[in-house]
Amino acid sequence: MRKLIEYDHLSLDGRFSGDDWWAGQMKVAPNDNHFDYQLRLLEQAAGLVLGRATYENFAATWPTMTGDLADKLNSLPKHVASTTLTETTWNAEVLTGDAIDAVAQLKEAGDGTLVKYGNGPFSRALVEAGLLDELHLSISPFVAGSGESLLSGISTTLMNLTGVTEIGNGAVVLAYTPSR
């Protein structure tokens, strides 16, 4: 059975989007340790799981990039949750039927991991359905002050800290598993 791992970038106040978040994130530019961490996360990946917005942003950016991380991301199959996409590029397919059921089937379909990037309603639904096995949070050392909060609106979900990795520039990655 495959493991589903979500990877998110956050500010200290738990924000992951918005103009203030982007302004802060640009001042704490990712470094080689950041990319190495993601590359290690992707080593056993059988594919990526993405929501529509993340897919569209990544598909517009990653195919033009070079390097080990770009090569890995570009080569992996992508599974996209969307009710509006009719066509995909970048080695992607739209999950058919109910996206949560489709991810459950993907998890049953083999070994390795599925890595999910992005956050929003799809992430919340995966957590509440009990499909998320690990949550890796890259915390950057700034307060955004506004923007969307991680997993906003989700019911109480207890997590166990399984790892802390310093990745430079004052950033850390906290790894959690849901308490079950």
Side-chain angles (χ1 to χ4, degrees):
M1 177 178 218
R2 292 179 177 155
K3 183 173 16 174
L4 178 62
I5 301 171
E6 180 163 331
Y7 183 89
D8 290 306
H9 296 277
L10 301 173
S11 59
L12 286 173
D13 56 343
R15 309 298 179 158
F16 68 91
S17 69
D19 292 341
D20 294 330
W21 184 85
W22 279 109
Q25 190 66 25
M26 296 318 256
K27 291 178 182 173
V28 186
N31 61 25
D32 288 342
N33 293 334
H34 176 130
F35 296 123
D36 289 345
Y37 185 94
Q38 287 190 66
L39 195 54
R40 284 191 310 274
L41 192 64
L42 293 168
E43 283 176 352
Q44 301 300 314
L48 301 180
V49 175
L50 308 165
R52 182 203 44 84
T54 302
Y55 162 74
E56 288 176 339
N57 288 329
F58 277 27
T61 305
W62 282 104
T64 65
M65 300 178 90
T66 59
D68 292 339
L69 182 59
D71 291 347
K72 186 64 175 176
L73 283 168
N74 288 328
S75 70
L76 287 169
K78 287 85 178 168
H79 308 280
V80 183
S82 176
T83 58
T84 58
L85 279 179
T86 57
E87 293 182 22
T88 60
T89 60
W90 194 46
N91 195 23
E93 67 172 3
V94 175
L95 296 170
T96 57
D98 179 76
I100 301 305
D101 290 342
V103 170
Q105 290 173 10
L106 279 173
K107 286 183 66 170
E108 294 287 337
D111 296 322
T113 60
L114 297 167
V115 178
K116 184 186 175 305
Y117 289 99
N119 195 277
F122 184 40
S123 291
R124 289 188 288 277
L126 289 168
V127 170
E128 292 196 321
L131 292 175
L132 188 70
D133 298 296
E134 294 181 21
L135 179 61
H136 293 232
L137 304 174
S138 176
I139 311 292
S140 294
F142 69 92
V143 175
S146 65
E148 288 183 78
S149 295
L150 179 72
L151 298 171
S152 180
I154 195 167
S155 60
T156 301
T157 303
L158 300 177
M159 299 277 188
N160 298 311
L161 180 66
T162 59
V164 178
T165 306
E166 292 185 48
I167 56 174
N169 295 343
V172 296
V173 176
L174 305 175
Y176 292 94
T177 58
S179 295
R180 294 193 171 129

mmCIF file of all heavy atoms in Angstrom, residues 127-135 155-162 175-180:
data_model
loop_
_atom_site.group_PDB
_atom_site.id
_atom_site.type_symbol
_atom_site.label_atom_id
_atom_site.label_comp_id
_atom_site.label_asym_id
_atom_site.label_seq_id
_atom_site.Cartn_x
_atom_site.Cartn_y
_atom_site.Cartn_z
ATOM 1 N N VAL A 127 -7.456 14.697 4.748
ATOM 2 C CA VAL A 127 -7.186 14.518 6.180
ATOM 3 C C VAL A 127 -8.421 13.950 6.867
ATOM 4 O O VAL A 127 -8.343 12.980 7.622
ATOM 5 C CB VAL A 127 -6.748 15.845 6.845
ATOM 6 C CG1 VAL A 127 -6.703 15.708 8.365
ATOM 7 C CG2 VAL A 127 -5.393 16.278 6.306
ATOM 8 N N GLU A 128 -9.575 14.543 6.601
ATOM 9 C CA GLU A 128 -10.801 14.098 7.276
ATOM 10 C C GLU A 128 -11.214 12.693 6.856
ATOM 11 O O GLU A 128 -11.850 11.980 7.632
ATOM 12 C CB GLU A 128 -11.908 15.121 7.078
ATOM 13 C CG GLU A 128 -11.565 16.407 7.832
ATOM 14 C CD GLU A 128 -12.732 17.340 8.033
ATOM 15 O OE1 GLU A 128 -13.564 17.480 7.117
ATOM 16 O OE2 GLU A 128 -12.782 17.930 9.127
ATOM 17 N N ALA A 129 -10.803 12.258 5.662
ATOM 18 C CA ALA A 129 -11.103 10.898 5.211
ATOM 19 C C ALA A 129 -10.092 9.886 5.758
ATOM 20 O O ALA A 129 -10.235 8.688 5.519
ATOM 21 C CB ALA A 129 -11.118 10.845 3.683
ATOM 22 N N GLY A 130 -9.084 10.380 6.479
ATOM 23 C CA GLY A 130 -8.078 9.479 7.048
ATOM 24 C C GLY A 130 -7.087 8.953 6.036
ATOM 25 O O GLY A 130 -6.426 7.939 6.272
ATOM 26 N N LEU A 131 -6.931 9.637 4.895
ATOM 27 C CA LEU A 131 -6.037 9.158 3.847
ATOM 28 C C LEU A 131 -4.620 9.711 3.948
ATOM 29 O O LEU A 131 -3.689 9.163 3.355
ATOM 30 C CB LEU A 131 -6.616 9.481 2.469
ATOM 31 C CG LEU A 131 -7.883 8.715 2.108
ATOM 32 C CD1 LEU A 131 -8.452 9.190 0.783
ATOM 33 C CD2 LEU A 131 -7.606 7.217 2.066
ATOM 34 N N LEU A 132 -4.423 10.791 4.692
ATOM 35 C CA LEU A 132 -3.097 11.388 4.820
ATOM 36 C C LEU A 132 -2.278 10.594 5.836
ATOM 37 O O LEU A 132 -2.711 10.391 6.966
ATOM 38 C CB LEU A 132 -3.207 12.851 5.253
ATOM 39 C CG LEU A 132 -1.899 13.627 5.246
ATOM 40 C CD1 LEU A 132 -1.441 13.852 3.815
ATOM 41 C CD2 LEU A 132 -2.076 14.947 5.960
ATOM 42 N N ASP A 133 -1.090 10.153 5.422
ATOM 43 C CA ASP A 133 -0.217 9.382 6.300
ATOM 44 C C ASP A 133 0.849 10.239 6.964
ATOM 45 O O ASP A 133 1.292 9.938 8.065
ATOM 46 C CB ASP A 133 0.453 8.257 5.511
ATOM 47 C CG ASP A 133 -0.565 7.280 4.964
ATOM 48 O OD1 ASP A 133 -1.243 6.626 5.779
ATOM 49 O OD2 ASP A 133 -0.703 7.200 3.727
ATOM 50 N N GLU A 134 1.308 11.276 6.279
ATOM 51 C CA GLU A 134 2.311 12.177 6.837
ATOM 52 C C GLU A 134 2.046 13.590 6.343
ATOM 53 O O GLU A 134 1.586 13.780 5.213
ATOM 54 C CB GLU A 134 3.730 11.785 6.414
ATOM 55 C CG GLU A 134 4.205 10.469 6.960
ATOM 56 C CD GLU A 134 5.626 10.134 6.520
ATOM 57 O OE1 GLU A 134 6.398 11.041 6.130
ATOM 58 O OE2 GLU A 134 5.966 8.940 6.572
ATOM 59 N N LEU A 135 2.374 14.562 7.200
ATOM 60 C CA LEU A 135 2.264 15.975 6.864
ATOM 61 C C LEU A 135 3.618 16.607 7.147
ATOM 62 O O LEU A 135 4.090 16.579 8.281
ATOM 63 C CB LEU A 135 1.163 16.639 7.697
ATOM 64 C CG LEU A 135 0.927 18.117 7.503
ATOM 65 C CD1 LEU A 135 0.515 18.442 6.065
ATOM 66 C CD2 LEU A 135 -0.141 18.616 8.482
ATOM 67 N N SER A 155 -11.921 19.610 11.291
ATOM 68 C CA SER A 155 -12.236 19.207 12.658
ATOM 69 C C SER A 155 -10.935 18.860 13.394
ATOM 70 O O SER A 155 -9.900 18.630 12.777
ATOM 71 C CB SER A 155 -13.196 18.011 12.656
ATOM 72 O OG SER A 155 -12.618 16.923 11.988
ATOM 73 N N THR A 156 -10.980 18.827 14.703
ATOM 74 C CA THR A 156 -9.790 18.544 15.502
ATOM 75 C C THR A 156 -9.161 17.225 15.064
ATOM 76 O O THR A 156 -9.834 16.197 14.993
ATOM 77 C CB THR A 156 -10.145 18.481 16.999
ATOM 78 O OG1 THR A 156 -10.702 19.740 17.373
ATOM 79 C CG2 THR A 156 -8.922 18.178 17.849
ATOM 80 N N THR A 157 -7.887 17.291 14.746
ATOM 81 C CA THR A 157 -7.137 16.126 14.292
ATOM 82 C C THR A 157 -5.800 16.121 15.021
ATOM 83 O O THR A 157 -4.984 17.011 14.825
ATOM 84 C CB THR A 157 -6.887 16.188 12.764
ATOM 85 O OG1 THR A 157 -8.147 16.300 12.103
ATOM 86 C CG2 THR A 157 -6.158 14.964 12.270
ATOM 87 N N LEU A 158 -5.586 15.149 15.882
ATOM 88 C CA LEU A 158 -4.341 15.068 16.635
ATOM 89 C C LEU A 158 -3.220 14.528 15.750
ATOM 90 O O LEU A 158 -3.442 13.643 14.927
ATOM 91 C CB LEU A 158 -4.518 14.182 17.857
ATOM 92 C CG LEU A 158 -5.576 14.643 18.860
ATOM 93 C CD1 LEU A 158 -5.700 13.630 19.993
ATOM 94 C CD2 LEU A 158 -5.239 16.024 19.408
ATOM 95 N N MET A 159 -2.022 15.079 15.933
ATOM 96 C CA MET A 159 -0.859 14.681 15.151
ATOM 97 C C MET A 159 0.304 14.354 16.087
ATOM 98 O O MET A 159 0.416 14.921 17.169
ATOM 99 C CB MET A 159 -0.423 15.815 14.216
ATOM 100 C CG MET A 159 -1.448 16.234 13.204
ATOM 101 S SD MET A 159 -1.359 15.133 11.792
ATOM 102 C CE MET A 159 -2.454 15.949 10.660
ATOM 103 N N ASN A 160 1.168 13.450 15.624
ATOM 104 C CA ASN A 160 2.386 13.092 16.349
ATOM 105 C C ASN A 160 3.586 13.635 15.582
ATOM 106 O O ASN A 160 3.713 13.376 14.382
ATOM 107 C CB ASN A 160 2.532 11.572 16.467
ATOM 108 C CG ASN A 160 1.407 10.956 17.242
ATOM 109 O OD1 ASN A 160 1.062 11.408 18.320
ATOM 110 N ND2 ASN A 160 0.795 9.922 16.679
ATOM 111 N N LEU A 161 4.469 14.362 16.272
ATOM 112 C CA LEU A 161 5.690 14.865 15.653
ATOM 113 C C LEU A 161 6.641 13.694 15.434
ATOM 114 O O LEU A 161 6.962 12.960 16.362
ATOM 115 C CB LEU A 161 6.344 15.916 16.558
ATOM 116 C CG LEU A 161 7.635 16.531 16.031
ATOM 117 C CD1 LEU A 161 7.371 17.357 14.779
ATOM 118 C CD2 LEU A 161 8.267 17.404 17.118
ATOM 119 N N THR A 162 7.097 13.510 14.174
ATOM 120 C CA THR A 162 7.991 12.397 13.865
ATOM 121 C C THR A 162 9.358 12.848 13.384
ATOM 122 O O THR A 162 10.251 12.025 13.236
ATOM 123 C CB THR A 162 7.364 11.468 12.803
ATOM 124 O OG1 THR A 162 7.099 12.232 11.621
ATOM 125 C CG2 THR A 162 6.089 10.830 13.327
ATOM 126 N N ALA A 175 7.745 17.200 10.565
ATOM 127 C CA ALA A 175 7.018 16.056 9.990
ATOM 128 C C ALA A 175 6.087 15.487 11.048
ATOM 129 O O ALA A 175 6.485 15.283 12.197
ATOM 130 C CB ALA A 175 7.996 14.993 9.512
ATOM 131 N N TYR A 176 4.842 15.244 10.655
ATOM 132 C CA TYR A 176 3.804 14.730 11.555
ATOM 133 C C TYR A 176 3.105 13.547 10.934
ATOM 134 O O TYR A 176 2.994 13.437 9.704
ATOM 135 C CB TYR A 176 2.747 15.812 11.815
ATOM 136 C CG TYR A 176 3.219 16.987 12.611
ATOM 137 C CD1 TYR A 176 3.689 18.128 11.975
ATOM 138 C CD2 TYR A 176 3.190 16.963 14.009
ATOM 139 C CE1 TYR A 176 4.115 19.221 12.709
ATOM 140 C CE2 TYR A 176 3.620 18.050 14.741
ATOM 141 C CZ TYR A 176 4.083 19.175 14.096
ATOM 142 O OH TYR A 176 4.507 20.255 14.836
ATOM 143 N N THR A 177 2.599 12.681 11.790
ATOM 144 C CA THR A 177 1.680 11.628 11.369
ATOM 145 C C THR A 177 0.390 11.793 12.169
ATOM 146 O O THR A 177 0.442 12.140 13.356
ATOM 147 C CB THR A 177 2.249 10.213 11.602
ATOM 148 O OG1 THR A 177 2.548 10.055 12.993
ATOM 149 C CG2 THR A 177 3.490 9.963 10.764
ATOM 150 N N PRO A 178 -0.757 11.557 11.553
ATOM 151 C CA PRO A 178 -2.009 11.652 12.297
ATOM 152 C C PRO A 178 -2.079 10.579 13.370
ATOM 153 O O PRO A 178 -1.641 9.440 13.156
ATOM 154 C CB PRO A 178 -3.088 11.411 11.233
ATOM 155 C CG PRO A 178 -2.418 11.659 9.925
ATOM 156 C CD PRO A 178 -0.979 11.296 10.135
ATOM 157 N N SER A 179 -2.619 10.938 14.535
ATOM 158 C CA SER A 179 -2.871 9.943 15.584
ATOM 159 C C SER A 179 -4.079 9.139 15.153
ATOM 160 O O SER A 179 -5.103 9.697 14.781
ATOM 161 C CB SER A 179 -3.184 10.635 16.921
ATOM 162 O OG SER A 179 -2.055 11.335 17.374
ATOM 163 N N ARG A 180 -3.962 7.835 15.186
ATOM 164 C CA ARG A 180 -5.081 6.994 14.756
ATOM 165 C C ARG A 180 -5.424 6.017 15.817
ATOM 166 O O ARG A 180 -4.692 5.574 16.596
ATOM 167 C CB ARG A 180 -4.740 6.278 13.444
ATOM 168 C CG ARG A 180 -4.605 7.301 12.320
ATOM 169 C CD ARG A 180 -4.574 6.619 10.961
ATOM 170 N NE ARG A 180 -4.670 7.655 9.948
ATOM 171 C CZ ARG A 180 -3.848 7.763 8.931
ATOM 172 N NH1 ARG A 180 -2.879 6.898 8.752
ATOM 173 N NH2 ARG A 180 -3.998 8.714 8.047
#
